[in-house]
């Protein structure tokens, strides 16, 4: 079932329905630690799409930044992070999110 929520959230993201993607991904993260431990390989991808979704909504840049930093801090050794230029993308997104977040702080 957790995999289905991730697929659903990615579909919402691809359909430019960022708020619904966020809802699905946040719901997944609310599962207990036992479910998270069982599905650790999904976590970097979940945080990635959560961060991307937040970065596409008004006032979401600080939450996007938090989620990109979670990936960089906790999942650098994963296949997801090392694959397909994701690590470079995350570095770029962190820099962009920092600028946007700092611009939103009053």
């Amino acid at each position: 079932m957790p995999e289905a929520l991730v697929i659903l959230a990615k579909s919402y993201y691809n359909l430019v329905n960022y708020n619904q993607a966020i809802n699905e991904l946040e719901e997944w993260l609310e599962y207990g630690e036992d479910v998270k431990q069982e599905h650790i390989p999904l976590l970097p991808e979940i945080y990635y799409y959560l961060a991307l979704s937040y970065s596409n909504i008004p006032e979401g840049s600080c939450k996007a930044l938090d989620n990109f930093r979670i990936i960089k801090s906790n999942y650098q050794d994963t296949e997801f992070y090392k694959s397909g230029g994701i690590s470079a993308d995350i570095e770029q997104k962190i820099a962009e999110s920092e600028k946007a977040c700092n611009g939103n702080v009053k």
Side-chain angles (χ1 to χ4, degrees):
M1 183 62 150
E3 293 89 352
L5 285 177
V6 175
I7 292 168
L8 181 61
K10 286 170 64 175
S11 296
Y12 283 128
Y13 175 82
N14 290 326
L15 291 169
V16 192
N17 191 339
Y18 304 120
N19 288 317
Q20 194 60 41
I22 290 167
N23 291 340
E24 295 297 333
L25 294 165
E26 293 282 4
E27 180 180 333
W28 195 98
L29 290 172
E30 289 177 11
Y31 279 107
E33 283 301 314
D34 54 331
V35 173
K36 288 183 190 176
Q37 290 299 317
E38 185 179 331
H39 298 284
I40 285 177
L42 290 174
L43 289 173
E45 189 172 10
I46 289 167
Y47 284 112
Y48 182 71
Y49 278 95
L50 188 58
L52 289 176
S53 296
Y54 273 121
S55 69
N56 282 290
I57 62 170
E59 306 300 322
S61 56
C62 293
K63 287 188 176 186
L65 178 59
D66 291 342
N67 284 286
F68 284 126
R69 285 181 172 162
I70 287 170
I71 300 166
K72 184 177 177 182
S73 297
N74 299 328
Y75 302 105
Q76 283 188 10
D77 294 331
T78 64
E79 285 184 41
F80 178 81
Y81 188 84
K82 295 176 183 178
S83 68
I86 293 291
S87 61
D89 184 52
I90 289 172
E91 291 296 328
Q92 178 182 349
K93 298 290 187 191
I94 286 174
E96 292 170 1
S97 297
E98 284 175 338
K99 286 181 185 176
C101 184
N102 290 335
N104 287 334
V105 176
K106 304 213 186 311

